[in-house]
Amino acid sequence: MKHMLFILCGFLFSTLACKGQTLNESADFKDSENLIIQSASVVHDTELQQLVFTITVKGLGGGSVPKKVGQMDGAPVLGYVFPTNLSPTDVGFSQTDGIVALALTSHPDFDDTPLWDENANAIYDDDGVVWHPHWVILNEDKRVPGGLSVKQFRQGDPKVKLPPTNPGMPMYMDSPGFPVIIQGKAIKVIVPLYRMNHRKQFNFDAVTAYMQVNTSNTDAPLLGVYSVYSVASGDLSLPYTVSDN
């Protein structure tokens, strides 16, 4: 896993487009204080038995969102991401190689949380731009500048197990519906312990990154990392641990 993390470090701040596809990254993301991490924490609420994941930035937490491009192919995805050393089985996946990450994302061109109505308008497929969480498995992928992508699998592979809240895409991705809270400089997500196999001791880091969907180029991943803006530790060494409140 450390090898994969160092691969990503080597590509920090790269913004090259994937061959055959336009990069739809907003120009202001690179310098936005909303994406410069100042601190990160995971706190175990011992009374309520839940974990509060927090990223605090220099600007406003969740204050930047991608611009809509009008289609799935090339759709931009912005993320505040917590890479961890959790096991895939801790969050409902079958065992597989890769980095378990909790990603808070915004993407205005599609909605991948069909069970959840994040903007509370009684329409369940129109709120992809609203910040929401995903569990994902990241793997090394040299086809994209960021060096990582969400791990894919062959549709219908009987060896692959996904949580029942997954969005139905052929990737190790879940849409767990945890509440995301934005308070000034902070963006937070609250995760009940039982939804993480009661794991309350693990290592983590925090990253802000630009990702993009690809449905037209077979030489590129379905969802790859193209730019990394900030890393809490500076070197993606997963140095942080969970604290009790």
Side-chain angles (χ1 to χ4, degrees), residues 102-119:
L102 182 57
L104 311 184
T105 66
S106 172
H107 42 74
D109 289 286
F110 63 100
D111 188 317
D112 54 7
T113 59
L115 296 177
W116 319 111
D117 179 20
E118 288 90 349
N119 59 7

Side-chain angles (χ1 to χ4, degrees), residues 1 36 38-39 60 68 80 85 92 112 115 123 141 149 158 163 165 167 197 203 208 217 219 229-230:
M1 182 176 71
I36 298 175
Q38 291 191 315
S39 64
L60 296 174
K68 190 171 184 177
Y80 294 85
N85 66 350
D112 54 7
L115 296 177
I123 301 172
D141 196 325
S149 66
T165 47
N197 198 25
N203 286 74
T208 52
N217 183 358
D219 293 326
Y229 306 115
S230 184

Side-chain angles (χ1 to χ4, degrees), residues 8 12-13 29 32-38 55-57 62 77-83 104 131 187 205-211 225 227-232 236:
L8 177 55
L12 290 184
F13 311 112
F29 287 169
S32 175
E33 294 187 345
N34 301 333
L35 300 171
I36 298 175
I37 298 174
Q38 291 191 315
I55 290 176
T56 302
V57 295
V77 178
L78 193 59
Y80 294 85
V81 184
F82 295 89
L104 311 184
W131 290 99
I187 184 167
D205 213 321
V207 177
T208 52
Y210 175 78
M211 296 161 277
V225 177
S227 292
V228 175
Y229 306 115
S230 184
V231 181
L236 278 174

Side-chain angles (χ1 to χ4, degrees), residues 59-72:
L60 296 174
S64 298
V65 296
K67 296 177 182 177
K68 190 171 184 177
V69 298
Q71 61 185 31
M72 180 68 84

